Amino acid sequence: VQLQASGGGLVQPGGSLRHSCAASQIIFSNDVMGWHRQAPGKQRELVAQITSGGTTDYADSVADRFTISRDNRKNTVSLQMDSLQPEDTAVYYCGLKRRSRSWSSPSTNWGQGTQVTVSS
C-alpha cells in the first residue's frame, strides 16, 4: 500500500493546518491509520490514530488541539491541527498498520514526511 500525504507548511503560532493522506488501495476493517511526527533530535512519536470504526487516540500534548478523521470510502485520513505552537514543529508522517501490529512493525506502511514549521 502506498500512502500519499499532502499538507504541512509554515504557520504562525496559534494558526491551523490540515494534513491529508490517501492510500493507494482499499483499507481493510482491521487497519489503523495515524499520524506520527519527528522533531529534530527527537524520536518519532505518535500524534493520533484512528480505527476503521472511528475510535481515536491522541497524544496528550495535542488532544485538545488536533482532530483526526478518516473516510473509509475514499481510503483517506486527515489531521486538522489547530492552535499550533512552536513545539509542534516537526516532520509529520501518515501511517497504516494492522490493528494487531505495533507501529514499529516492518509491515507498517508510511507516507512521505511533510514539514510543519510553527514560527512567528
Side-chain angles (χ1 to χ4, degrees):
V1 178
Q2 293 185 341
L3 302 176
Q4 182 67 44
S6 61
L10 173 64
V11 65
Q12 293 186 342
S16 298
L17 285 173
R18 185 176 180 88
H19 282 292
S20 293
C21 182
S24 61
Q25 62 189 63
I26 294 173
I27 301 170
F28 296 100
S29 60
N30 61 345
D31 286 344
V32 180
M33 301 191 78
W35 293 89
H36 287 65
R37 68 185 180 186
Q38 187 166 19
K42 295 187 177 181
Q43 291 187 333
R44 186 177 297 193
E45 62 174 351
L46 175 65
V47 176
Q49 64 182 23
I50 184 169
T51 68
S52 59
T55 300
T56 58
D57 188 28
Y58 295 92
D60 290 342
S61 60
V62 308
D64 58 347
R65 301 182 294 120
F66 291 9
T67 303
I68 189 171
S69 59
R70 89 187 252 177
D71 186 331
N72 291 331
R73 294 173 301 173
K74 297 181 179 179
N75 300 323
T76 59
V77 63
S78 298
L79 184 70
Q80 177 67 38
M81 303 183 294
D82 299 319
S83 301
L84 284 161
Q85 300 301 317
E87 52 265 33
D88 296 315
T89 296
V91 178
Y92 285 70
Y93 299 89
C94 68
L96 170 67
K97 74 172 185 78
R98 293 299 172 93
R99 187 176 301 191
S100 60
R101 304 286 178 88
S102 70
W103 283 107
S104 60
S105 169
S107 63
T108 297
N109 299 103
W110 295 102
Q112 82 279 16
T114 55
Q115 178 70 46
V116 170
T117 302
V118 185
S119 175
S120 56

